[in-house]
Amino acid sequence: MRKTIWLAMAFLMTVAAGAQKREFRGAWIQCVNGQFQGMGKEKMQQTLTYQLDELQKDGVNVIIFQVRPECDALYASKIEPWSRFLTGKQGVAPSPYWDPLQWMIDESHKRGMELHAWINPYRAKTKSTKQLASNHIAVRKPTSCFAYDELFVLNPGIPENRDYICEVAKDIVSRYDIDGIHMDDYFYPYPVKGETIPDDELFMEYSNGIKNQDDWRRYNVNLFIEQFYKTVHETKPWVKVGISPFGIYRNKKSSPVGSNTNGTQNYDDLYADILLWVNNGWLDYCVPQLYWEIGNKNADYQTLIKWWSQHAAARPLIIGEDVERTVKYADQNNPNIHQLPAKMTLHRQLPNIKGTVLWYAKAAVDNIGNYGTALRTAYWKYPSLQPVMPFIDGKVPGKVKKLKPIWIDGDYVLFWTAPKGTGWEDKAEKYVVYRFAKGEFINTDDPSKICAITDKTFLKLPYQQGKEKWVYVVTALDRLQNESKAVKRKIKL
């Protein structure tokens, strides 16, 4: 028994030692499952506070919060109605009044996390919604949508719909201090036997010389993705655009470039040419939903993660992980443990993988299969910065100035001043503080040496008797977390 415990501890220590300094560590918080519906302000804030606190302990540094599930809003919008997934009835404002998106931005930033606003671009009504508000797009402009399998879908073939979704995105980006805006896998609807998309007449009207209707549908979505990306970055250049497509691009039987899988396809079934968007730079990060297990007969996780790593590395590639499914299935080489270690090993072996997003946040918070414990004690034990995005901004800020410790009101405090910065590209937003023992090699690539990532220009020091010698190093981060050159100071504690 003792040997087993020792081996487990040794394994976790080895994992933590191989931690990445830059890693996108996200979690999806969804509302469409009804977890907040009619909960009320106080209870919902308590629930979200607990989730954020636990996710912070787990090492999560990006919250992806669903704010527009069906052309509605979990934020104050003059364009679309309040969501029933918030208040219980679409179009009814929360009472007592509050703005969940603004609250989540404040609470995420307070914990050092980014907040990405998650929208569903085309879905206008979910299956369970029975009544739409009078100002809902499907009520105001019923011809803008089509019905499909009890859903309403904004028709991608109507040019005005592209403008409408971009107007909604611009409104969010311009009014809220979000770090990113995120779309999931709902473009054209998932195919259902016996259902057809009613767009034959529209194809004839707007075909633009395209002869194949499938190609035309992909063309419609491509136009939207390009327009959406430009709209966001013209509004605020630093806001990241993320897309989370279904986990299979194409099967090999459909195309030589496809993966050795047999399932629904982005390109052929959802008309989503995700590789085109990645290679054309129409998004800033890509999160394919690889929700299957290693060994799945139709969609093997290992096959898919290697495929995406090989074909979609032109933008930061983040892997969408199903927490419940990961801990449900046994490791193929060790049936006594689940698949988290094997999956994380694949992440570390493939250098094009820049992080993970957890589906879904509550599963990690509930610590199913000790998933959360493994994150906070091993995989995400140490702090992490965001992956660099030089295609948005690659310029580093200037160095901090006047770094020195000062006694103040009985506390020993390390102070510094911000570097000069004229624009968002080079203005310091946060600082990284590292600590090294006397004589230790100064390696700022080692995340285990990070003792703080802070938006303050000071840090209280753990002074004891003033006999131990340490070296403190401080760097500045800009809005995209480009890191400045280091400034160091020898300090006795």
Side-chain angles (χ1 to χ4, degrees), residues 138-322:
V139 176
R140 292 188 293 107
K141 296 182 178 181
T143 57
S144 67
C145 304
F146 62 79
Y148 188 94
D149 190 36
E150 300 181 57
L151 303 171
F152 285 169
V153 180
L154 281 176
N155 197 325
I158 299 176
E160 289 78 12
N161 283 343
R162 296 195 293 270
D163 297 335
Y164 175 72
I165 303 168
C166 288
E167 178 189 6
V168 171
K170 184 174 182 178
D171 177 58
I172 295 171
V173 172
S174 62
R175 293 193 297 116
Y176 292 91
D177 187 25
I178 58 174
D179 303 286
I181 191 161
H182 183 93
M183 289 187 285
D184 56 19
D185 51 325
Y186 292 97
F187 299 100
Y188 278 90
Y190 277 78
V192 175
K193 188 176 182 179
E195 296 274 354
T196 57
I197 297 172
D199 61 357
D200 290 351
E201 291 184 9
L202 208 60
F203 172 52
M204 294 177 64
E205 183 178 356
Y206 291 110
S207 64
N208 199 34
I210 300 172
K211 296 181 179 180
N212 181 282
Q213 194 165 0
D214 289 351
D215 289 339
W216 173 74
R217 288 173 180 166
R218 280 185 286 273
Y219 170 75
N220 293 331
V221 182
N222 292 342
L223 287 177
F224 162 66
I225 296 296
E226 182 181 17
Q227 181 179 345
F228 184 91
Y229 186 79
K230 290 180 178 178
T231 297
V232 171
H233 281 283
E234 286 171 359
T235 306
K236 285 181 181 174
W238 60 85
V239 173
K240 304 166 187 176
V241 175
I243 298 179
S244 179
F246 184 70
I248 297 173
Y249 175 66
R250 302 191 81 181
N251 299 310
K252 187 161 285 186
K253 66 182 181 182
S254 299
S255 169
V257 77
S259 53
N260 189 22
T261 50
N262 184 26
T264 302
Q265 305 167 99
N266 276 291
Y267 185 92
D268 303 81
D269 302 316
L270 305 177
Y271 309 103
D273 191 353
I274 185 70
L275 286 193
L276 178 72
W277 311 341
V278 167
N279 291 325
N280 283 359
W282 294 345
L283 71 171
D284 298 314
Y285 66 91
C286 177
V287 193
Q289 299 172 20
L290 304 191
Y291 291 168
W292 301 277
E293 72 277 10
I294 298 171
N296 185 286
K297 292 181 179 180
N298 292 319
D300 172 52
Y301 178 94
Q302 181 168 295
T303 296
L304 283 166
I305 194 172
K306 290 181 177 180
W307 185 93
W308 283 98
S309 178
Q310 179 182 353
H311 294 279
R315 283 291 188 262
L317 177 62
I318 323 297
I319 302 301
E321 296 282 358
D322 187 315

Side-chain angles (χ1 to χ4, degrees), residues 326-395:
T326 296
V327 302
K328 176 183 177 181
Y329 289 92
D331 184 284
Q332 292 190 312
N333 298 317
N334 184 353
N336 295 318
I337 63 172
H338 55 60
Q339 292 194 354
L340 177 61
K343 287 186 173 183
M344 284 298 192
T345 296
L346 284 168
H347 280 235
R348 299 285 165 85
Q349 288 175 345
L350 299 169
N352 289 332
I353 307 298
K354 303 301 181 183
T356 306
V357 181
L358 308 177
W359 176 258
Y360 46 100
K362 189 177 182 299
V365 169
D366 291 345
N367 200 25
I368 297 172
N370 288 318
Y371 196 106
T373 299
L375 292 180
R376 67 180 63 181
T377 59
Y379 299 105
W380 293 353
K381 180 179 180 179
Y382 301 117
S384 179
L385 305 183
Q386 294 300 322
V388 293
M389 295 186 176
F391 43 86
I392 300 178
D393 170 38
K395 183 181 178 182

Side-chain angles (χ1 to χ4, degrees), residues 2 9 18 201 225 262 453 486 491:
R2 288 182 179 178
M9 291 178 62
E201 291 184 9
I225 296 296
N262 184 26
I453 300 175
I491 297 174

